[in-house]
Amino acid sequence: MSERHRLCHTEEVMGTVFSFDIRDPATSAIESALGDAVCWLHRVDAIFSTYRPGSQISRLARGELTVAECDAEVAEVLRLCRGAGHRSGGAFTASPGGRLDPSGMVKGWATERASRMLYAAGSRHHLVNGGGDIQARGGSAPGRPWRCGIADPWRGGEVAAVVSGRDLAVATSGTAERGHHILDPATGAPPTALVSITLVGRHLTEVDALATAAFVKGERARDWVASLPGVEAFALTADGRTWWTPGFAALGGTVNDRAGAAR
Amino acid sequence: MKRPVLVTATTVLGLFLVLYAKPHQEPDRPAPAAAPSSRPSADGSADTSTGASPDAVSGRFTGDVVETRRGPVQVRITLAKSRLTEVDVLEGVHDEGPSAGAVPQLTQRALDAQSADIDAVSGATYTSQGYISSLQSALDRADV
């Protein structure tokens, strides 16, 4: 049992809950950075919310603003969206359903940025959970990795797999994940092959956007993710199976042999 | 049939998720007592056998009402010597349960999670995050 100090905080923002779990000895710099990160998340929400008609992203979508007139974060996120679009062969887009909506990028990017703010203030061991998408730095205690469960949508409260490691990013996309549907840009319809897919890597900005693209790709995601360096996947299919990419175990993944609905 | 199963599952998961935040009965805020115990003590392992909890907390604690996109949710927890013994859903989301049958299951999951060695869970819904927030506030109130 660790005797290290621990600083926890939960914040409702972006239509979900962000939680911070800081395992470093508390310093005023870290506490201050936590406050700054929380304030910044609210600012990001105000800029990027597609639910607020007056947000910059809403005004940008209506042509009332140019990207240059928006805060710098807007150009940054749109650039990241274009990069994810290229990497995924168009399965990720900043305009699902034809309307500007970079929400599939914003949460993971903001979560990783919040983690960076803590790191810059001296926190080397923390976990930021942005509504189920996780950026962990360092370990959970000296010599101990972080352990992140992957929810099993078929069996309440149980985890389908556990990912263990240092400096982990874990993002899950699925039918149960969001208030709005993920749409396949190619068909305009929600993908149906997978119930959820979890991507594991180092940087949540990348991993979260690729998870959205992988969910769209369905069964094709298996080979696609396997071809991506430093990223692994674990999926639960609509017919109750599970699969994972060859490097999943090497990345600290352990699969619950009871996972999924069918044997 | 699939959808109700899914949503019940994620609701239960919500409570599961919360517990990772403070599973070890450590004080949330650095307590004065934590300072000496965080240093390597001269007398070795004498204080490790007593665990990290300075004061065991017992009682019922009601969490905040948390608004979700599907309506408000609220939970109440019962602690005995800082161990979670019961989770009651005071206000739930009707189209997602929890049904009468799901609540005992939910409590059991929460109790199981207490001993699970997991720091976080990926893949939560917005509504389950609401349960998380309410349960977290109840735990904050209990100061465990």
Side-chain angles (χ1 to χ4, degrees):
Chain A
M1 173 70 65
S2 165
E3 292 180 328
R4 293 159 65 85
H5 293 180
R6 186 172 183 191
L7 180 61
C8 293
H9 180 79
T10 60
E11 185 77 14
E12 293 171 59
V13 62
M14 294 189 203
T16 185
V17 175
F18 277 65
S19 63
F20 297 80
D21 186 347
I22 302 169
R23 304 288 177 96
D24 304 282
T27 65
S28 58
I30 291 173
E31 288 179 8
S32 173
L34 174 59
D36 291 347
V38 167
C39 286
W40 184 78
L41 290 174
H42 283 284
R43 195 167 79 82
V44 166
D45 189 25
I47 294 171
F48 287 97
S49 174
T50 55
Y51 295 93
R52 303 182 195 195
S55 71
Q56 291 182 23
I57 214 71
S58 296
R59 296 180 65 200
L60 185 64
R62 293 195 301 268
E64 297 169 12
L65 286 178
T66 65
V67 172
E69 289 169 328
C70 296
D71 287 339
E73 283 92 343
V74 172
E76 180 180 351
V77 164
L78 294 180
R79 181 178 57 76
L80 290 166
C81 287
R82 285 191 296 274
H86 286 305
R87 283 192 80 184
S88 63
F92 183 92
T93 170
S95 305
R99 189 174 186 280
L100 179 65
D101 180 3
S103 303
M105 176 65 69
V106 171
K107 187 154 61 89
W109 165 78
T111 304
E112 183 178 351
R113 178 67 69 86
S115 165
R116 286 173 188 263
M117 292 168 81
L118 295 174
Y119 189 87
S123 170
R124 295 294 179 267
H125 304 279
H126 62 251
L127 182 149
V128 184
N129 187 341
D133 294 329
I134 295 161
Q135 178 73 61
R137 293 300 296 259
S140 62
R144 278 194 57 190
W146 291 101
R147 287 172 56 80
C148 300
I150 296 170
D152 187 339
W154 297 113
R155 299 173 313 131
E158 296 198 32
V159 295
V162 175
V163 179
S164 178
R166 298 170 58 84
D167 299 323
L168 276 180
V170 186
T172 299
S173 278
T175 51
E177 179 206 9
R178 288 166 191 266
H180 60 86
H181 294 292
I182 298 173
L183 299 178
D184 183 343
T187 64
T192 55
L194 304 179
V195 174
S196 78
I197 183 163
T198 300
L199 263 63
V200 185
R202 295 289 292 275
H203 301 289
L204 191 60
T205 305
E206 172 191 39
V207 165
D208 191 23
L210 295 181
T212 302
F215 184 72
V216 167
K217 286 175 180 283
E219 289 292 335
R220 289 180 296 130
R222 193 169 183 170
D223 291 338
W224 178 61
V225 176
S227 74
L228 300 172
V231 183
E232 301 298 338
F234 173 84
L236 291 134
T237 68
D239 56 6
R241 291 175 298 115
T242 59
W243 57 254
W244 53 93
T245 52
F248 182 69
L251 215 61
T254 313
V255 177
N256 184 339
D257 60 13
R258 291 184 299 164
R263 300 307 313 154
Chain B
M1 189 58 206
K2 268 183 185 172
R3 194 167 177 281
V5 172
L6 268 178
V7 293
T8 302
T10 51
T11 301
V12 172
L13 176 70
L15 288 167
F16 180 108
L17 290 177
V18 183
L19 295 162
Y20 81 79
K22 296 178 184 175
H24 305 308
Q25 299 124 45
E26 291 174 338
D28 186 22
R29 289 167 288 281
S37 64
S38 67
R39 298 171 57 185
S41 58
D43 55 348
S45 60
D47 63 353
T48 58
S49 61
T50 61
S53 179
D55 298 295
V57 177
S58 298
R60 284 183 162 182
F61 301 89
T62 301
D64 293 335
V65 177
V66 175
E67 294 297 330
T68 75
R69 287 182 184 171
R70 292 201 168 89
V73 299
Q74 184 180 32
V75 302
R76 181 180 61 195
I77 60 172
T78 304
L79 295 168
K81 295 180 180 173
S82 296
R83 296 289 295 177
L84 191 64
T85 58
E86 199 173 344
V87 180
D88 296 315
V89 177
L90 301 182
E91 192 155 13
V93 177
H94 293 296
D95 68 347
E96 293 209 322
S99 67
V103 172
Q105 183 196 20
L106 176 151
T107 303
Q108 190 55 51
R109 296 302 186 209
L111 298 176
D112 291 348
Q114 191 163 236
S115 56
D117 187 19
I118 289 174
D119 299 302
V121 176
S122 179
T125 66
Y126 286 118
T127 305
S128 67
Q129 293 283 326
Y131 285 102
I132 293 173
S133 194
S134 185
L135 184 43
Q136 182 71 64
S137 65
L139 289 166
D140 285 346
R141 217 151 272 158
D143 199 25
V144 291

